[in-house]
């Protein structure tokens, strides 16, 4: 009998009630998630314990699908659990709760996939996972780090079950609608009409003006409440603000930059609510803290063992963790491979090979044959001169005795050694190596502590930050446990097995057995082995459908680091979805689902060509390969689950694409008028129109052909139209790609379509695409700088740094000369508000800064980059050429001879405030006449396009003359005319680098 | 171990899920009750079945008590159950659910107390009960009759559990705050701070202007949704309207009449939502109807028994019902006592004594010794005259034969009888009496059907309307069941026992045993016996605390009709509450709790005097007597529960009174400015100021002393101040009483205080109170008529009919002459808008109409009333005196001589358009001269103050002269002068009744 929706809720309530949770009720105002309920939002703040569980009908207007999507709705039911503080085993509790629902981990593929949760409207974030059941996200599992801008201590564990998805998975259903809710009534009978009506309301009917007014009223009430210390009423209004904001957003009434303003307001309110709550609880003296009492369990660390066997022994150190994000796993393995050998050397522990491995749940450091104790240490400490150390009788003097005493040696043990031609007494201090267990017990926690992550988290009262919680350590030297405690966990000899096998505890008898035990547990410890296994399995699976897997390196690495025991599952999807744009299909499979897409295997007769034009999913097979964590038991269930998910996602995309394709791409343009780019800069339509103009103005600078210019015009005209398509509104990452696709399907030519797609590429491929991208990015820079929205510190909400890089990088890669000053000025002329000279200078400085970063990232020395940019920052492509050349010069062996030659000329003249004329007849000495002649030759061939080579190739022959000049001629002659004529000569030489580089910025100048 | 809040919810969810209910979730917007959730509001509409249960956090801003009251909160949790259609045993299911919570009916006093539920904002009403647990209302149990203005078919049963109150009762707690919620957290820890903050928000902080704007925006969105067929989104906005309306109301920002406008708007929206939903479900072809299938259980009615014994037998007919309201029970007993004897006579069933009894759960009709069949019937039908019926030979003619055939008798059986001096043939038709069982089987359903109630309800698909559902019949003639079916129930021989004993089924073996069985079951069938028992028990209880019960007849009747087995429980309350005004204490005890208050028994030495001045509860003992339904098992629990309830209610009142008494009564006046009386008529403060003026203006008309006039001035000035006190806002019925009390405590004199209290009496006792009341009522009438808010049909939202009665009745009872025309004119001068002559006439007509009703209700004949009011409606007291006199005249034996005398004079003249002069010398005949002389004498003593006696005493002596005049004198003489002089004479006689009565309105005129 299929499970019913209500039985899920009743079972989860019972489960969590019996695990010490308070059962609360949904909140009485529309919220996007259970997190917004004060039972979470407020109660996770401050030191008091709080364990709670409740259902939350969660309203997300833009997820409305008119009741047509099998599992996407404007309202879904969450089951929310908060465990505060971390009980130490929240994952296990969670998996038990799934069992209570009838989900047996052996019959499914349950995975913890990295998820960095963030809710900007309430200034909250946390780290954790999406929990996947057969490819379907069924739960968000988060360790809250911050809420309302307040750092949480203790951290709360948040579990958010998606009840509809769980029911679909449990009943192996295609959609939620026909599944039982309870009492012989189906889910759809309760909710489908509601889905249709609310979707229509949010997308079509809600009156933008009125809803905006509601927002303003709510905000004002929230502020009034805060001013009167009313926290919960204020919170209610913040929630109402959030809901009407979402409504406006769904109506398409919120502009890109306006969004920031809204978020800023809501975040500020949420922050004030949170702070006021904290203050209130403090004043109330934390009543729930008293209830809980002090339940501090002290950790027992065992004594350090005495080794009976003095033979070197193998050592295993395993750090058991909750599932690490892929990036963190990569990073931690690199760090351990660097630090572990260094550490053991530093510790003077003689050892054999070191092997470092990582899986999502464990990091293993295995060291062969560690000595049982440190190598002894001998240091000779220099004392007084020998002649002052001993009296005539050879007896130690006072000085020697004092020295010996200080260093803890007997005076008779002082040695006389020779050093730098003198003779001194030395105290030879011997430090006995400590036993290895003692050393390791101290060192291992420090090793763990030394591991750093980009985005670490805290979870318990140890306050330790790590990628994800550490739950166990195995630390065995031979068969002895190296005892220590770190991050609230003590070391031992017990590891845990595979998740699908219920993570059984497995005792490791000795380090020697480690790899064997782990392999027997089904765990593939080595990532390369996992990758190879995946590649092999995926290929086999593909062959079954005469396909070939598209194995992307990044995806392979990701998938290999999501599992401990990879098993391929091939599934299919409805071939009708092959009508969808290929990038939609691939993007969903790879990015969302981590599946390997399959293409038809090339038949022996046909080449690889001809498929590049295949825009739709035609180049794909209606199959995919997923990688399960675990063996192949009940793999059919896993396959069906994954198929359901993928089909639902494709159905969603299909809905959008079908809706969108009722119109030509051009038809979407007018709706850009409703999308505000920035209040003062107008709508996205205004922006698009500016792009058209600017592109037309800068096209000549790039020497485009007439055809290219026509294409630029059309492409800019259409460039932003896809932003208001349903597909892009849904998957923003497809912007451009969808524009390209829809352009083609609307009959635009290939070049126009490609340019639309390329506008978002870091470096557009075609010159048409380049112009579109430049115009777009320059427009953003100039407009937003003019408004005053300049990036500061770490804040760059409009991505202007990225925009600036997007201007300079393509110019470099395309090697196209381009006058930034001119371009900025042209853009300024199209802006609706003034961008005066100061602003333009500010923009150009900003571009120079980014250009400098780009060039340094390309591997050029900072001083070389600085030197060139001081002279020719205005043309990135030229600057890049110059930097490349200058770097080559700087690396020449004779550079130390070239640079000083030029530097002498510059240094002696650079403080002169005047530029002096040069009169040939005023020269007196031979050497200066000679130098002037050489200079005139050089000046006859000035450097082309800022070429460093041109300049230096001309300059280098001048060096002997320069050196001779300085040797023989006194520049600073007493006679003024003479002096000024010589300075003038040198100023002319210095000026040879003008427009090329400022060599004074170089090291060694 | 005490029960936890969450365990109640989990148990109720489990209970109702296992009884076929869908478990739904609370709604995502603030609602005042679970009824507003669309899972109730919409799903009860239309024919589809629907069984659902859910928690609903219910927000009622004006119930906020800052967390200070033990069981009154701005938010409480309801558990809502809808059973559609009626399952036939909802009360039993409900009681089972209480058992599932651990509430054993044997240990408590569970009662079903009439409750007519109404929710005007959604145009919904239903009938049912409050369920009381030891005096505490823990559930509302309603048979919905109408929702959204739509009559429901089928009817839904709604159960609304008050979870907090149940928890308090279960844990025998004093307040909710310290009771466990779950997971070691107490209820107060979860919710108390929230109560404080929200209370403060709703009462003090909410910005009236902004909240009003919200209302307007919501209303507009609701309308936009409806215009687009979006029912659920529209409903959401209706709910939001309702919540912000409640917020405004709590802020004191809604005026008395403005309220009507808001309700009107919300009701209209709710109605449109309901109708649109009905239409939608129809278009969808009622999907849930298909799911349910047809589950019509056909009722089996047994065959009518053949009686073996032909001796007369006793007959019992018991109608088993769900608890009848007290008023309906009184009414049905009266109806049965009237109809049953008539019915049995009509049925020609010879019988002995009839006894009729009623309890809340059963109506019993017992008839001694009914004959086993109807009496035979013999009718003689008159045929043709005897001489035409037989020929000369005495044989029946054609005519006789035809007549005989038609009446089914043999021609030879025709009889000849004498009638009115003629001789006719008669056919004597004999109808054999039918067996009693057959007759009763037909008659009993008709008897039930004939019972009428003021406010009946439907409950099942029989469509029958009754006071409350009928659940069984016992119909036994001797030991034979009289079989029939009515209202979906078939008759039998099984009754049910007492509720506290679980309503066991009890078979009645024969009618003879009925009273014995019922008594053995513990049921006191006779209401007089119940009353006597209550009086006896209450007296005994009172004696225990040296007290005396205040036994009010209405209360005694009510209590006696709420139970089947009365048992007195005496409880106490905190003596500190005796500080509260006595009327608050008594009102709470009697009206809310149906308790008998106790006063100290008079000590033998002291008289009864001296206590009339005791304003506070000093004249009361801190005890009360409640009447339990059931025996005295576990009576201590019942007592404790009742004590808790009463103390909580008193705490609530105490909170208000303490808050209020921080100010003098006068200090409340300014806040009347925030209470809108009516948009065009201004605030209650404006109204109060008008009352002051008007009272000053009309005081002279009533001949008040200077002191009285000073008191009137002060009393009117303070008259409305109590409306904005917390106590009156809470218990509106205490308006005036509280004003009086607070006036005294503010140092006002007794007369002023009494007048403030008396302004709401139907008839104020003092003349000062009378003036205040008249001014208030006249102001309402004149103002609201001027605005155009005239009562129409059954609609009188502002109670203007009551106001008009409140003007005329006191004038009559005080016997004070008063010129209504003048008073209305004076009031019109104080109004902010014009009340022109037409309006004033309209008001006076309206007053006359009410005066007429009042007089007729006093027992006067309609024609007498009409006659007097035609002449002197302007002065109610005078009119009443005149009516009384005229009625006495009309009832005189010689009235048939008096009236015609006057009538002759009037009739002959009334069509004359002119009034003719009378010239003495123009009279010709003796009789007319005589009459004129008599008239002149009469005219010399005109009636005083519209006295009928004066007029008629003067008139009666004229009658012989009048008769002589008409006998001898031709009024309509040919000569014009003669005729007109005579007509003039008669016109003068007719005019004698001017200002007294229009006798032409009398019967017989």
């Amino acid at each position: 009998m299929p499970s019913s929706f209500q039985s899920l809720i009743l079972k989860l309530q019972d489960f969590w009630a019996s695990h010490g949770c308070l059962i609360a009720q949904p909140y009485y105002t529309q919220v996007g998630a259970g997190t917004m309920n004060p039972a979470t939002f407020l109660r996770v703040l401050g030191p008091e314990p709080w364990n709670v569980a409740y259902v939350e009908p969660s309203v997300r207007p833009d997820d409305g699908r008119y009741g047509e999507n099998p599992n996407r709705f404007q309202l879904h039911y969450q089951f929310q659990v908060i465990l505060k503080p971390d009980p130490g085993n929240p994952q296990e509790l969670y998996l038990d709760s799934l069992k209570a629902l009838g989900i047996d981990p052996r019959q499914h593929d349950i995975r913890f996939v990295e998820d960095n949760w963030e809710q900007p409207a309430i200034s909250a974030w946390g780290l954790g996972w999406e929990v996947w059941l057969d490819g379907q996200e069924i739960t968000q599992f988060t360790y809250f780090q911050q809420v309302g801008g307040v750092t949480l201590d203790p951290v709360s564990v948040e579990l958010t079950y998606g009840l509809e998805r769980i029911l679909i998975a449990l009943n192996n259903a295609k959609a939620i609608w026909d599944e039982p809710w309870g009492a012989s009534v189906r889910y759809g009978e309760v909710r489908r009409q509601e889905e249709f009506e609310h979707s229509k309301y949010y997308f079509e009917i809600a009156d933008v003006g009125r809803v905006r007014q509601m927002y303003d009223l709510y905000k004002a009430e929230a502020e009034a409440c805060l001013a009167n210390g009313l926290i919960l009423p204020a919170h209610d209004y913040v929630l109402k603000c959030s809901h009407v904001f979402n409504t406006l957003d769904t109506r398409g009434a919120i502009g890109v930059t306006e969004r920031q303003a809204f978020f800023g307001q809501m975040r500020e309110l949420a922050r004030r609510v949170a702070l006021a709550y904290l203050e209130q609880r403090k004043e109330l003296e934390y009543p729930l803290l008293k209830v809980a009492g002090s339940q501090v369990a002290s950790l027992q660390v065992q004594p350090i063992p005495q080794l009976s066997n003095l033979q070197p022994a193998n050592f295993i150190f395993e750090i058991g963790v909750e599932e690490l994000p892929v990036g963190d796993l990569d990073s931690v393995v690199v760090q351990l491979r660097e630090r572990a050998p260094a550490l053991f050397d530093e510790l003077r522990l003689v050892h054999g090979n070191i092997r470092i491995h990582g899986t999502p749940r464990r990091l293993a450091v295995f060291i062969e044959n560690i000595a049982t104790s440190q190598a002894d240490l001998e240091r000779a400490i220099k004392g007084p001169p020998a002649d002052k150390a001993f009296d005539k009788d050879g007896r130690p003097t006072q000085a020697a005795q004092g020295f010996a005493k200080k260093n803890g040696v007997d005076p008779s043990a002082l040695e006389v050694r020779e050093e730098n031609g003198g003779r001194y007494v030395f105290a030879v201090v011997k430090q006995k190596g400590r036993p290895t267990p003692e050393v390791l017990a101290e060192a291992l926690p420090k090793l763990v502590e030394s591991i750093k992550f980009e985005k670490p988290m805290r979870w318990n009262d140890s306050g330790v930050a790590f990628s994800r919680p550490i739950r166990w350590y195995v630390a065995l030297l031979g068969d002895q446990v190296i005892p220590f405690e770190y991050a609230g966990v003590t070391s031992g000899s017990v590891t845990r097995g595979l998740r699908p096998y219920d993570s059984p505890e497995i005792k490791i008898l000795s380090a020697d057995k480690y790899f064997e035990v782990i392999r027997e547990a089904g765990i593939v410890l080595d990532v390369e082995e996992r990758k190879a296994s995946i590649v092999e399995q995926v290929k086999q699976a593909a062959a079954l459908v005469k396909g070939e897997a598209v194995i992307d390196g990044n995806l392979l690495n990701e998938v290999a680091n999501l599992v401990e025991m990879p098993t391929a599952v091939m599934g299919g999807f409805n071939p009708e979805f092959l009508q969808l744009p290929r990038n939609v299909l691939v993007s969903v499979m790879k990015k969302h689902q981590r599946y390997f897409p399959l293409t038809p295997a090339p038949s022996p007769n046909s080449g690889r060509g001809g498929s590049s034009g295949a825009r739709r999913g035609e180049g794909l097979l209606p199959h995919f390969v997923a990688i399960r964590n675990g063996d192949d038991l009940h793999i059919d269930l896993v396959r069906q689950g994954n198929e359901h998910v993928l089909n639902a996602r494709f159905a969603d995309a299909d809905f959008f694409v079908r809706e969108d394709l009722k119109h030509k791409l051009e038809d979407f343009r007018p709706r850009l008028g409703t999308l505000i780019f920035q209040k003062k800069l107008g709508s996205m339509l205004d922006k698009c129109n500016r792009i058209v103009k600017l592109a037309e103005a800068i096209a000549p600078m790039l020497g485009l052909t007439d055809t290219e210019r026509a294409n630029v015009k059309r492409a800019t005209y259409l460039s932003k139209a896809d932003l208001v398509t349903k597909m892009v509104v849904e998957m923003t990452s497809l912007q451009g790609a969808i524009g390209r696709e829809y352009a083609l399907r609307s009959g635009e030519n290939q070049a126009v379509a490609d340019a639309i797609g390329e506008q978002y590429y870091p470096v557009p491929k075609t010159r048409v695409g380049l112009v579109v991208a430049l115009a777009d990015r320059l427009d953003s820079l100039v407009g937003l700088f003019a408004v005053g929205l300049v990036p500061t510190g770490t804040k760059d909400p409009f991505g202007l740094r990225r925009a600036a890089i997007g201007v300079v990088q393509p110019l470099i890669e395309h090697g196209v000369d381009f006058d930034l000053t001119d371009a900025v000025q042209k853009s300024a002329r199209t802006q609706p508000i003034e961008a005066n000279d100061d602003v333009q200078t500010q923009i150009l400085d900003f571009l120079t800064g980014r250009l400098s970063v780009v060039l340094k990232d390309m591997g050029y020395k900072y001083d070389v980059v600085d030197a060139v940019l001081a002279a020719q920052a205005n043309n990135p492509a030229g600057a890049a050429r110059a930097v490349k050349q200058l770097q080559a010069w700087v690396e020449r062996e004779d550079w130390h001879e070239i640079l000083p030659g030029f530097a002498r000329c510059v240094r002696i003249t650079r403080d002169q405030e005047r530029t002096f004329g040069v009169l040939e007849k005023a020269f007196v000495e031979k050497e200066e006449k000679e130098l002037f002649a050489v200079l005139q030759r050089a000046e006859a061939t000035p450097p082309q396009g800022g070429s460093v080579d041109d300049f230096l190739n001309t300059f280098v022959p001048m060096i002997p003359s320069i050196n001779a000049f300085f040797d023989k001629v006194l520049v600073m002659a007493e006679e003024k005319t003479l002096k000024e004529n010589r300075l003038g000569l040198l100023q002319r030489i210095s000026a040879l680098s003008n427009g090329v580089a400022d060599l004074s910025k170089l090291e060694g100048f």
Side-chain angles (χ1 to χ4, degrees), chain A residues 184-224:
Chain A
S184 312
V185 178
R186 290 175 297 172
Y187 186 97
E189 285 160 346
V190 179
R191 290 210 53 254
R192 197 162 189 173
Q193 179 66 25
E194 173 187 329
E195 272 301 306
F196 173 81
E197 291 186 4
H198 285 300
S199 297
K200 183 158 179 179
Y201 174 72
Y202 291 127
F203 282 103
E204 303 172 36
I205 305 300
D207 183 278
V208 170
R210 284 195 290 261
V211 179
R212 270 184 200 273
Q213 282 183 64
M214 290 179 199
Y215 178 90
D216 292 339
L217 294 169
Y218 296 156
K219 181 164 169 281
E221 282 299 280
E223 278 162 359

Side-chain angles (χ1 to χ4, degrees), chain A residues 661-724:
Chain A
L661 286 178
K662 291 176 182 167
H663 314 278
K664 294 209 160 198
L665 182 57
E666 188 167 357
D667 301 340
F668 287 100
R669 277 191 92 246
R671 278 198 47 214
L672 288 171
T674 65
L675 201 64
I676 295 177
F677 170 58
Q678 201 277 335
K679 222 182 280 178
K680 293 184 183 165
L681 301 175
S683 68
M684 285 305 290
L685 184 59
D686 297 329
K687 181 176 173 53
C688 185
N689 290 336
R690 285 197 301 273
I691 295 173
V692 173
K693 269 194 212 158
L694 182 59
E696 210 160 0
I698 63 174
M701 298 165 63
L702 294 150
L704 264 55
T705 66
D706 284 354
T707 312
E708 283 175 327
R709 287 169 71 166
N711 287 336
V712 163
K713 190 163 179 180
R714 185 70 183 162
T716 47
Y717 183 76
L718 296 172
S719 58
K720 299 299 177 190
D722 69 347
L723 293 184
V724 287

Side-chain angles (χ1 to χ4, degrees), chain A residues 850-993:
Chain A
R850 293 302 103 188
L851 177 55
S852 164
V853 169
V854 167
L855 292 169
K856 287 173 200 158
D857 284 353
M858 287 166 80
Y860 298 114
K861 286 184 63 197
Y862 78 95
D863 56 335
V864 170
V865 171
D866 288 354
V868 170
L869 292 191
Q872 44 179 329
N874 193 43
N875 176 9
R881 281 193 306 272
V883 164
K884 187 179 176 188
Q885 292 169 359
L886 183 54
Q887 173 106 0
W889 281 92
V890 168
E891 285 168 358
R892 272 167 67 150
E893 296 233 330
D894 58 352
W895 181 245
H896 68 278
E897 285 160 21
I898 298 169
L899 184 60
F902 189 71
R904 295 174 90 167
C905 306
V906 175
R907 276 202 298 261
I908 201 165
T909 56
R910 67 178 156 193
D911 294 331
Q912 297 298 327
E913 286 168 4
R914 282 177 51 211
T915 303
F916 302 103
V918 178
L919 285 173
E920 185 162 10
K921 59 184 176 193
F923 289 122
V924 176
E925 308 292 342
K926 183 188 86 187
E927 286 80 6
E928 56 184 328
K929 289 176 184 166
E930 168 63 23
L931 182 56
F932 184 59
V934 173
L935 169 65
Q936 283 177 307
R937 276 200 299 279
E939 285 177 342
T941 54
Q944 294 302 306
S947 166
V948 171
D949 287 351
D950 284 4
F951 155 56
L952 284 174
N953 283 329
T954 312
F955 176 73
V956 168
M958 290 171 71
I959 295 175
S961 309
I962 290 170
N963 289 342
F965 171 85
F966 278 107
D967 287 350
K968 299 292 155 120
V969 180
L970 177 66
V971 178
M972 292 308 184
E974 296 218 345
E975 198 197 331
K976 191 169 172 247
T977 329
L978 215 55
K979 185 179 82 177
E980 291 187 354
N981 204 44
R982 287 171 184 164
L983 284 170
L985 172 64
L986 294 173
Q987 281 176 330
R988 291 261 289 267
I989 296 172
S990 301
L992 287 175
S993 70

Side-chain angles (χ1 to χ4, degrees), chain A residues 49-111:
Chain A
W50 185 250
N51 294 289
V52 72
Y54 53 94
V55 177
E56 192 73 64
S58 301
V59 182
R60 297 176 178 180
D62 64 347
D63 278 350
R65 295 292 177 272
Y66 294 80
E68 290 182 19
N69 189 276
N71 57 359
R72 192 103 185 243
F73 335 102
Q74 55 83 36
L75 183 146
H76 74 286
Y77 286 86
Q78 295 184 343
F79 193 89
Q80 168 88 351
V81 178
I82 290 291
L83 305 173
K84 174 190 178 191
D86 165 34
N89 60 343
Q91 284 185 311
E92 286 68 29
L93 285 173
Y94 168 72
L95 291 167
D96 284 348
S97 76
L98 291 188
K99 286 183 209 157
L101 295 181
I103 298 174
D104 177 354
R106 284 295 277 132
Q107 301 188 3
H108 294 277
D109 180 32
I110 297 175
R111 275 195 276 161

